[in-house]
Amino acid sequence: MPEEKIDHIDFDLLNEKAISKPIVSHIYTADPSAHYFNGKIYIYPSHDIDGGEAFDDLGSHFAMEDYHVISMENIESEGVDHGVALHVDDVPWAAKQMWAPDAAHKNGKYYLFFPAKGHDDIFRIGVAVSDSPVGPFTPRPKAIKGSFSIDPAVFEDEDGSYYMYFGGLWGGQLQRWRTGTYDSSQPKSPTAHLPKDDETALMPKIAKMTDDLLEFAEEPKDVLLIDEKGNPLLAGDNKRRFFEAAWLHKHNGKYYFSYSTGDTHFICYGIGDSPYGPFTYKGKILEPVIGWTSHHSICKVEDKWYLFYHDSSLSKGVTHLRSIKVIELVHDQNGLINAIEPYKL
Ligand code: FUB
């Protein structure tokens, strides 16, 4: 994830033209996973800091140490920061890089799912539990067995099943797990182990969760993303293939899998008939934002859908100092999503 040349951008103008403002501006936040629990909006974001790490394509400059939960009474109201909900120092298996989390609610308990690098420099996914949606969360002593890579998103289906989607390329290490074990060769390369451009792209992963939401109930499987002809998206199709930031929502009985294309900076989606896919590519949800990364969630609040996303406009383009935002998301009469331009330029 390289630093960008952004000298030419007028950030005051851009902030004026942005379609929405940061939900909080006293801290930097990113990767907003939003949920509507008990009539209130809760957002589980990354908490961006400048940890002093050099920029690289492995994302070492994303050196986050803790999570804060942000709540909103309604979609127009101010975001309220509930303080530190979980710190890396309290997670026995984790060493650094508390990246994009998500949360779920079941039987009066709240579950925070989060990726972090272990002491062996390998990303895994952990879970922490609380009686309150805003924490503090108590982490499990070990990461979820069989977990790897980053960006967990946990979807509750209407039959009460919960599924975790996850995975991320480059610094997210998904490409190192192609044989089922971690390939530690060429440790500094973000792109070694990727498929060739004319090969099938690496797909995100899905695993059904156990009833207590603490472990995988099955081996993670590929989530197949296909084009309009039914062919898997190719690795070289980087304007459409999966990179990171998996999310799942269900609308009118259809499953919508959305994700970031990473190095082409789009949020895209596909539609399917099962939580496992396949998902047929349908288009873009969000055009590129200021900053290298794009990461979102889609949440229904009363009768409207909203896109929670982030950009780096508040920090004037510092790619690892981002701010969470929200805008209404519209499904048209055919169930397709109207793409959003984040700035009215
Ligand atoms: O916030 C760190 C990483 O940046 C996330 O895990 C990715 O999805 C990207 O937003």
Side-chain angles (χ1 to χ4, degrees):
M1 299 179 188
E3 191 168 16
E4 291 166 10
K5 295 265 176 285
I6 49 173
D7 301 346
H8 59 286
I9 294 175
D10 178 342
F11 283 98
D12 291 333
L13 180 67
L14 194 88
N15 281 322
E16 214 175 275
K17 299 279 182 192
I19 55 170
S20 56
K21 305 274 172 250
I23 293 171
V24 290
S25 52
H26 66 294
I27 56 172
Y28 290 111
T29 52
D31 311 322
S33 292
H35 293 273
Y36 194 52
F37 291 145
N38 307 320
K40 196 164 163 178
I41 303 162
Y42 294 94
I43 310 168
Y44 299 85
S46 300
H47 174 202
D48 282 356
I49 55 167
D50 188 354
E53 299 288 334
F55 285 71
D56 64 23
D57 283 347
L58 289 170
S60 305
H61 45 299
F62 293 95
M64 298 86 101
E65 295 178 350
D66 64 17
Y67 296 110
H68 289 219
V69 181
I70 309 295
S71 69
M72 294 168 83
E73 284 300 329
N74 59 60
I75 211 71
E76 305 293 341
S77 59
E78 297 284 306
V80 175
D81 175 1
H82 295 271
V84 176
L86 180 69
H87 194 282
V88 68
D89 290 348
D90 297 323
V91 183
W93 63 268
K96 60 183 177 183
Q97 288 177 288
M98 305 283 267
W99 284 13
D102 190 21
H105 175 213
K106 185 174 182 184
N107 297 338
K109 297 259 184 227
Y110 296 85
Y111 299 81
L112 182 71
F113 302 95
F114 59 97
K117 264 190 190 159
H119 303 282
D120 53 3
D121 243 18
I122 298 176
F123 268 115
R124 299 190 192 275
I125 296 169
V127 55
V129 187
S130 178
D131 292 328
S132 161
V134 298
F137 291 88
T138 304
R140 305 281 294 169
K142 292 188 174 164
I144 294 172
K145 194 166 172 237
S147 70
F148 53 92
S149 197
I150 60 165
D151 289 3
V154 174
F155 166 71
E156 178 189 356
D157 207 348
E158 284 158 307
D159 67 357
S161 303
Y162 289 72
Y163 301 89
M164 181 185 288
Y165 299 84
F166 64 94
L169 304 187
W170 297 17
Q173 302 178 342
L174 185 63
Q175 68 281 359
R176 294 185 177 273
W177 288 91
R178 292 178 67 184
T179 58
T181 53
Y182 182 81
D183 186 337
S184 59
S185 63
Q186 305 184 65
K188 300 257 184 258
S189 170
T191 52
H193 318 294
L194 285 171
K196 295 197 177 63
D197 281 0
D198 60 354
E199 293 176 345
T200 297
L202 289 181
M203 299 292 165
K205 301 286 179 182
I206 180 173
K208 191 171 185 178
M209 303 300 293
T210 52
D211 283 345
D212 60 10
L213 300 190
L214 300 177
E215 298 288 348
F216 291 160
E218 61 186 1
E219 289 270 312
K221 300 174 169 56
D222 279 356
V223 176
L224 191 59
L225 301 174
I226 56 176
D227 66 15
E228 56 292 345
K229 294 185 181 145
N231 298 318
L233 295 182
L234 298 181
D237 187 359
N238 67 342
K239 289 194 173 148
R240 299 195 298 176
R241 64 93 172 86
F242 171 81
F243 189 97
E244 62 188 3
W247 190 259
L248 201 286
H249 75 281
K250 195 173 181 181
H251 174 65
N252 286 347
K254 295 280 186 192
Y255 295 85
Y256 289 67
F257 179 81
S258 49
Y259 57 97
S260 166
T261 62
D263 53 345
T264 51
H265 316 288
F266 300 116
I267 299 292
C268 294
Y269 74 108
I271 299 181
D273 292 316
S274 153
Y276 288 97
F279 295 98
T280 307
Y281 179 86
K282 292 293 177 187
K284 293 174 191 162
I285 293 178
L286 181 65
E287 296 288 342
V289 296
I290 293 296
W292 197 97
T293 68
S294 196
H295 191 128
H296 70 299
S297 65
I298 294 169
C299 178
K300 196 171 192 181
V301 177
E302 296 173 350
D303 58 346
K304 286 187 175 171
W305 287 99
Y306 293 91
L307 178 76
F308 291 77
Y309 65 105
H310 70 222
D311 75 4
S312 297
S313 55
L314 184 66
S315 68
K316 299 194 185 294
V318 181
T319 221
H320 62 294
L321 296 178
R322 302 161 291 181
S323 300
I324 57 171
K325 297 181 161 190
V326 61
I327 191 80
E328 190 179 345
L329 176 134
V330 176
H331 300 80
D332 72 15
Q333 288 169 333
N334 300 318
L336 299 177
I337 294 174
N338 293 344
I340 293 168
E341 296 269 0
Y343 314 98
K344 293 173 282 185
L345 294 174

